Amino acid sequence: MKSVREIDVTEKRVLVRVDYNLPMDDQGQITDDNRIRATLPLVEYLIEKRAKVILISHMGRPGGKVVSSLSLAPVARRLSELIGKEVGFIDHCIGDTVKQRAVQLAPGEVLLLENLRFHDGEKSNDPAFAKSLATLCDVYVNDAFAVSHREQASVVALPQQVKVSVAGFLLEKELLCYRDAVQNPKRPLVAVIGGAKVSSKLEALRNMLDVVDTLIIGGAMANTFLKAQGYNVGASMVEEDLMAAAKDIVEGAGKKGVTLKLPMDLVVASRFDKDAEKDTVDLETSTVPEGWMALDIGEKSAAGFAEVIQLAATIVWNGPMGVFEMPRFSQGTKTVAMAIANAKGVFSIVGGGDTGLAAKVCGVAEKISYISTGGGAFLHLMEGKTLPGVAALQ
């Protein structure tokens, strides 16, 4: 896989796949521009090298139709502000008008095309749609790690139709950080895995057993493991059909010499509500009351997890320890987040999505070595798989 650094982009039309799928409020204002900021090093590099820059992205799920609220026009305006240079915008991404505008680009000029997903061909990985995009450029750059796990036209079919296809700075950085954290880590390597469902992270859990020294499991997914071990977790969320798989992971950890940590006390609530009555249950001496559910790990478990984290040299965190969006059930996630942030001399990497948001909510984002821009793509790597967008470049 070549890097954009390795090729001459001077006065060439460079088509860059970015991820500008940003959160917007009801007034169409961008509420978080971090994904734009993550691409600025590459955009500014290409401008400096006098490339003719064409940016492409998707926004939301318009279902192959034009949806005005999902237009990328506000993104063009925000990018203009951030780079101090006007960014052109055209309300199509393929067609004669777009091609003519691309041909007319001057060196150092930047053009953002309209939402790729206004066309069915993007999500279906349609070669014809990809070919239309390919006619716009001399060079293709993938700088959209967050969508590189998806087999879509702008990620997979397109680079196969452009003679020179390379990786951008952000894609390179994501892959290198993951390699340093998981494939070639300083040890001990501690993985902290949480979130709602075992099903969404089953393959990742299995794969991580081959690379980690300690595996910490929290969040609602821990309930399935606890019930599989014979603990009564009341009305807590449990994936009954995955209890056997949970047992296999526990047994696999033992066989491979991996220390596996589960919560042994839980913050439980009478219902799933921010104002619900709550209590703490120590599973070694008691059980979750009938009809009650676990919404966070308990103080004792959080402190125990923090002790293990402090001994790590490398930490991978993917998934919160509880319903951190509700302040009364966020303490477990906060304790673990603070432990990761304050661990001395460690390399810490956080999977994107909810985990990146949790790091920000807990006020530790600045103390994490690297926060991934892509939750799904990060999880794909944790499963031991090659990203389709990377394979297309290779």
Side-chain angles (χ1 to χ4, degrees):
M1 186 176 71
K2 275 191 174 182
S3 166
V4 66
R5 292 181 177 89
E6 300 176 59
I7 63 169
D8 180 14
V9 297
T10 306
E11 298 191 9
K12 292 182 179 176
R13 285 175 291 142
V14 180
L15 187 68
V16 187
R17 188 14 164 138
V18 291
D19 179 22
Y20 288 166
N21 183 26
L22 308 177
M24 311 276 281
D25 63 21
D26 293 339
Q27 285 73 47
Q29 299 296 311
I30 296 168
T31 57
D32 184 349
D33 64 4
N34 281 334
R35 287 185 174 178
I36 301 179
R37 292 178 184 274
T39 66
L40 294 184
L42 177 63
V43 173
E44 290 171 346
Y45 170 86
L46 293 172
I47 292 171
E48 182 183 333
K49 294 293 184 180
R50 303 187 74 246
K52 303 170 183 179
V53 186
I54 306 166
L55 303 173
I56 55 172
S57 178
H58 75 282
M59 171 82 85
R61 297 182 174 89
K65 299 176 182 178
V66 175
V67 178
S68 59
S69 62
L70 296 177
S71 172
L72 289 170
V75 178
R77 292 192 291 271
R78 183 63 183 132
L79 179 58
S80 298
E81 294 169 358
L82 290 173
I83 65 174
K85 179 184 178 72
E86 184 179 355
V87 173
F89 178 75
I90 188 165
D91 60 359
H92 298 284
C93 61
I94 57 173
D96 292 340
T97 303
V98 179
K99 190 171 182 180
Q100 183 179 1
R101 182 73 178 85
V103 170
Q104 293 171 345
L105 280 174
E109 193 174 355
V110 182
L111 174 67
L112 176 64
L113 307 186
E114 185 55 284
N115 193 338
L116 294 168
R117 288 190 183 171
F118 285 177
H119 296 263
D120 283 327
E122 168 64 0
K123 291 195 74 173
S124 65
N125 197 26
D126 180 18
F129 179 64
K131 188 173 182 179
S132 295
L133 292 170
T135 62
L136 303 175
C137 68
D138 306 303
V139 175
Y140 167 85
V141 181
N142 182 347
D143 208 35
F145 171 79
V147 294
S148 289
H149 63 305
R150 301 189 184 281
E151 293 195 19
Q152 298 185 355
S154 65
V155 176
V156 174
L158 175 55
Q160 296 169 354
Q161 299 199 39
V162 180
K163 188 174 181 180
V164 181
S165 293
V166 297
F169 297 166
L170 181 59
L171 180 60
E172 286 181 316
K173 185 176 183 180
E174 291 272 5
L175 296 175
L176 287 171
C177 284
Y178 185 82
R179 182 199 68 183
D180 291 344
V182 176
Q183 296 171 341
N184 187 33
K186 291 181 180 179
R187 295 191 179 275
L189 166 57
V190 175
V192 182
I193 312 297
K197 295 182 178 180
V198 177
S199 53
S200 65
K201 296 180 181 177
L202 182 59
E203 291 306 312
L205 289 167
R206 287 170 173 161
N207 183 60
M208 294 304 281
L209 287 182
D210 292 327
V211 295
V212 303
D213 298 295
T214 299
L215 179 61
I216 294 172
I217 298 177
M221 65 188 298
N223 301 329
T224 300
F225 284 85
L226 290 168
K227 188 167 183 178
Q229 299 298 300
Y231 294 100
N232 182 347
V233 294
S236 303
M237 179 179 176
V238 171
E239 291 175 280
E240 301 282 351
D241 58 331
L242 290 178
M243 286 175 58
K247 282 184 179 179
D248 288 344
I249 288 171
V250 173
E251 291 172 4
K255 291 176 183 177
K256 294 178 180 182
V258 174
T259 301
L260 191 147
K261 296 285 187 181
L262 291 169
M264 292 310 298
D265 65 331
L266 303 169
V267 177
V268 298
S270 56
R271 64 188 190 281
F272 191 87
D273 188 284
K274 64 182 178 63
D275 299 317
E277 183 181 356
K278 74 170 189 175
D279 198 0
T280 299
V281 172
D282 188 328
L283 293 177
E284 293 180 317
T285 59
S286 187
T287 62
V288 178
E290 184 177 351
W292 285 51
M293 61 191 70
L295 296 185
D296 194 10
I297 60 173
E299 185 177 335
K300 184 173 72 173
S301 296
F305 291 174
E307 284 182 17
V308 173
I309 287 166
Q310 293 299 317
L311 301 175
T314 306
I315 303 166
V316 177
W317 177 25
N318 188 277
M321 297 293 100
V323 189
F324 74 95
E325 300 91 343
M326 298 181 187
R328 295 172 70 236
F329 303 103
S330 64
Q331 191 55 51
T333 300
K334 286 181 180 177
T335 300
V336 168
M338 290 299 296
I340 295 171
N342 294 328
K344 304 296 184 183
V346 306
F347 178 77
S348 54
I349 184 169
V350 167
D354 285 347
T355 322
L357 177 60
K360 292 174 184 176
V361 169
C362 295
V364 302
E366 299 302 319
K367 293 185 177 181
I368 301 296
S369 303
Y370 188 70
I371 297 180
S372 176
T373 58
F378 187 86
L379 190 61
H380 202 88
L381 290 177
M382 287 182 68
E383 293 171 349
K385 298 175 182 176
T386 298
L387 299 173
V390 171
L393 297 180
Q394 294 169 335

